[in-house]
Amino acid sequence: MYKMTVKGWLKHFDFILLDLFSLLLSLLTGIWVIRQNGQTFSDPNIPGFVVLILMINLGVLIAFDGLNCVVTRGYLVELGMTLRHVLLVIGLISVAVMLRSEKMTYPDGFFFLVLILYFLYSYGTRIFWKRVLRSHPIPEETKNPILIVTNSLYAKEILDRMRTHSFIRYKVIGVVFTDRDAEGEIFEDVPVVANLGNAADYLCREWVDEVLFFRCSLDDKTQTLIEQCRQMALTIHLSVAVQGIDERKMTIGYIAGYEVLTANTNLMKPLDAFIKRSFDIVVSFFGSIAAALLLIVLGPFIYAASPGPLIFCQKRIGENGHKFKMYKIRSMYMDAEERKAALMAESSHADGMMFKMDFDPRVIGNRILPDGTKKKGIGAFIRDTSLDEFPQFFNVLKGEMSIVGTRPPTPDEWEKYQYRHRARMSVKPGLTGLWQTRPDKDTMSFDDIVALDTEYIANWGLGLDLRIVIETARQFLWGLIFGKKKKSPEQRDETEKTVVK
């Protein structure tokens, strides 16, 4: 009978305990150093605070999968992973301190000292424990003998992965090729023990616990071998090859009581989804307040230049075809859409698929002086600084959008989508995204944008979202303080749509 092993973060329980101990030790050392220097350290609830930061540490370890392949990764990689983890933990602890209601006194430099100590303790204990594990290898006789059945093209890949990821549990006793007869050969120091025709006889007379079918085409011979393994009560592992789908993005699920293989471009764990939504709610709450303040400040200027509603609502297509109204601060005159037809001849795209102008007279305040000088107004300022996007925090708060995602198309754009464009609609649309952080974002073609959106979906993670948010904030503040360079005709259309070519 096959005994299932512990998966996920629980299998690194020893490293988790060491890391929690390192954080606790760094805090105690920091408090001791501070008090030895005669500085004041006051907290009315130190035990509660210690429990809080230990929970933060545990949450970061689980959410960011910081211990994945911890035993096999090298010293330099471990250095980077430890530094990333320590910075995240100390950053969240600092936020927790600011949000606490208790009266407390922490000396200047205390958390910086704890950061340094935690990094040294954590990195040191990880390296020490990995050396202990490597110096006391698992006896070969306790490992599960496993036979690998695969195509010769994928043999090196799976053998390398077994050495780096499953060296503790498994002992590869041999390999069988499905595409050729290589019995008796040695491949990557592993013997080719049989072929598809006589593999069952080998398994019958040798002590093999498990058989891994890796990227095998399920033809008649392979199906026969699988059935023979089942009759021998051997544990069978199937790694099914589906063209264009990464096996690491597959999971086992159930539909109508049947066990099915589920695959997608990427997978989002329930905990990751909870953290992402919680982040959206917190950020959009403060963003909505900022949007309301912006309307109070900018509203009189907009209304004075162009009487009408301050909020512009536009129907957009969200995740999996969900339609919703996206909000913006209005930056165009009320008759902008009616005036579009008269300006089509001046569009930089003669084919009519996109409408873009270097200087759009429909933007509030834009006008051409008698001497031919082009003068911009309040609408251009709002658009250039991206202040018009702030009301979309209301969309995020309602759950229609996320802080990070892909930009939602309009219904007419959706009508023109081809197969390869559909992938970007598999996630919730966002205020910002991967392509919005690129220096050449304003001159990208739609296919380039789709490629980056697809890359974002395939490589999604909480860490990637955080990097995108930081870079977006940096670009926004830079543009708000120092302004933006003059844009080319390809950089913006009248509705700020992502137009399909």
Side-chain angles (χ1 to χ4, degrees):
M1 181 179 292
Y2 178 63
K3 296 179 180 179
M4 299 185 68
T5 58
V6 176
K7 297 181 180 180
W9 60 273
L10 279 175
K11 69 179 180 180
H12 299 305
F13 192 69
D14 49 350
F15 283 94
I16 290 176
L17 289 179
L18 286 172
D19 206 81
L20 293 174
F21 172 77
S22 298
L23 179 54
L24 182 60
L25 184 61
S26 65
L27 284 167
L28 295 177
T29 306
I31 294 173
W32 180 82
V33 170
I34 290 298
R35 288 179 172 172
Q36 288 297 311
N37 291 334
Q39 293 178 283
T40 302
F41 182 94
S42 174
D43 191 316
N45 186 16
I46 290 181
F49 180 57
V50 171
V51 172
L52 173 64
I53 62 177
L54 291 179
M55 294 301 295
I56 289 174
N57 184 33
L58 180 62
V60 171
L61 281 172
I62 297 173
F64 290 87
D65 202 14
L67 295 176
N68 185 33
C69 304
V70 63
V71 180
T72 57
R73 59 196 186 201
Y75 294 154
L76 188 59
V77 174
E78 193 62 61
L79 184 71
M81 295 296 291
T82 305
L83 181 60
R84 186 192 74 161
H85 173 74
V86 169
L87 291 175
L88 283 170
V89 170
I90 298 300
L92 291 175
I93 291 175
S94 300
V95 173
V97 168
M98 290 186 291
L99 295 177
R100 290 183 72 196
S101 58
E102 295 93 341
K103 185 178 180 181
M104 52 207 163
T105 303
Y106 295 133
D108 294 337
F110 172 71
F111 286 105
F112 180 75
L113 175 62
V114 172
L115 185 150
I116 299 298
L117 292 172
Y118 180 34
F119 173 74
L120 294 176
Y121 291 156
S122 181
Y123 183 69
T125 53
R126 290 185 185 191
I127 296 301
F128 168 76
W129 191 241
K130 287 200 288 188
R131 286 186 174 181
V132 170
L133 294 177
R134 291 171 180 174
S135 63
H136 296 82
I138 304 297
E140 289 295 313
E141 59 270 17
T142 64
K143 295 183 178 181
N144 293 356
I146 188 170
L147 176 72
I148 297 177
V149 181
T150 184
N151 189 294
S152 59
L153 296 175
Y154 308 126
K156 186 178 186 307
E157 176 185 347
I158 183 58
L159 290 175
D160 289 342
R161 296 278 295 182
M162 291 293 293
R163 293 187 184 105
T164 57
H165 289 74
S166 301
F167 69 98
I168 293 178
R169 182 183 176 193
Y170 290 111
K171 176 176 64 177
V172 179
I173 62 169
V175 63
V176 173
F177 293 147
T178 58
D179 58 326
R180 62 185 178 90
D181 184 0
E183 184 177 359
E185 297 181 6
I186 301 295
F187 184 88
E188 296 286 322
D189 297 328
V190 177
V192 182
V193 295
N195 55 51
L196 272 181
N198 59 16
D201 295 333
Y202 173 83
L203 291 169
C204 188
R205 68 174 183 269
E206 298 291 338
W207 289 109
V208 179
D209 293 342
E210 303 174 35
V211 182
L212 168 62
F213 291 83
F214 180 73
R215 291 190 177 182
C216 296
S217 58
L218 299 181
D219 54 17
D220 291 341
K221 290 185 177 180
T222 305
Q223 292 274 24
T224 300
L225 179 57
I226 292 175
E227 174 59 22
Q228 291 168 333
C229 290
R230 187 194 65 79
Q231 292 177 7
M232 288 184 276
L234 293 172
T235 299
I236 304 169
H237 304 280
L238 296 176
S239 176
V240 181
V242 181
Q243 186 176 3
I245 296 179
D246 188 344
E247 292 90 346
R248 293 169 294 181
K249 306 293 175 63
M250 294 182 180
T251 58
I252 300 296
Y254 294 89
I255 294 180
Y258 291 99
E259 196 170 49
V260 296
L261 187 66
T262 302
N264 206 308
T265 306
N266 206 339
L267 302 173
M268 180 182 288
K269 300 176 183 177
L271 180 61
D272 292 340
F274 173 77
I275 294 175
K276 182 176 175 67
R277 181 57 186 156
S278 299
F279 177 79
D280 285 346
I281 292 174
V282 173
V283 175
S284 61
F285 174 77
F286 292 102
S288 298
I289 295 175
L293 294 176
L294 277 175
L295 286 171
I296 294 173
V297 174
L298 297 175
F301 296 97
I302 297 173
Y303 192 83
S306 174
L310 302 181
I311 295 293
F312 171 68
C313 299
Q314 188 177 45
K315 185 177 291 186
R316 295 285 180 126
I317 308 296
E319 183 180 13
N320 294 325
H322 171 70
K323 295 180 180 180
F324 68 100
K325 288 184 178 180
M326 191 178 76
Y327 308 123
K328 284 190 177 186
I329 296 178
R330 185 169 62 89
S331 60
M332 286 191 169
Y333 290 109
M334 296 296 295
D335 60 346
E337 195 62 31
E338 290 77 8
R339 295 167 61 184
K340 177 180 176 180
L343 297 170
M344 284 298 295
E346 300 180 40
S347 172
S348 58
H349 292 265
D351 57 8
M353 295 297 292
M354 302 173 69
F355 182 88
K356 292 185 178 182
M357 295 180 63
D358 186 19
F359 184 83
D360 195 335
R362 299 172 304 152
V363 175
I364 298 174
N366 280 9
R367 64 183 186 276
I368 301 177
L369 301 179
D371 61 357
T373 303
K374 295 177 180 178
K375 186 174 179 59
K376 292 185 176 182
I378 183 65
F381 168 76
I382 294 173
R383 292 161 68 85
D384 289 345
T385 54
S386 299
L387 295 177
D388 57 336
E389 307 287 350
F390 268 71
Q392 289 165 41
F393 281 114
F394 292 109
N395 292 116
V396 177
L397 201 57
K398 291 168 61 179
E400 297 166 336
M401 296 179 64
S402 178
I403 298 297
V404 183
T406 61
R407 291 301 288 170
T410 57
D412 59 314
E413 293 167 357
W414 172 255
E415 295 288 336
K416 303 171 186 175
Y417 267 30
Q418 300 178 20
Y419 295 130
R420 65 183 184 277
H421 304 144
R422 173 63 175 78
R424 68 197 303 257
M425 308 308 301
S426 62
V427 298
K428 191 175 291 186
L431 270 170
T432 185
L434 182 61
W435 68 268
Q436 286 98 323
T437 63
R438 298 301 174 92
D440 58 341
K441 60 183 178 182
D442 293 322
T443 58
M444 282 183 179
S445 68
F446 181 69
D447 283 333
D448 291 336
I449 291 173
V450 170
L452 286 173
D453 280 341
T454 305
E455 179 184 337
Y456 165 75
I457 296 169
N459 299 294
W460 179 85
L462 296 173
L464 178 59
D465 271 8
L466 184 60
R467 290 195 296 271
I468 292 174
V469 168
I470 293 174
E471 177 60 22
T472 301
R474 186 196 68 80
Q475 291 183 10
F476 169 74
L477 292 175
W478 183 270
L480 192 63
I481 297 171
F482 298 102
K484 296 186 178 181
K485 295 180 180 179
K486 185 179 179 181
K487 297 182 179 181
S488 65
E490 289 77 20
Q491 289 179 338
R492 198 151 190 171
D493 66 4
E494 83 291 0
T495 56
E496 292 189 339
K497 298 178 183 178
T498 303
V499 183
V500 182
K501 284 188 176 182

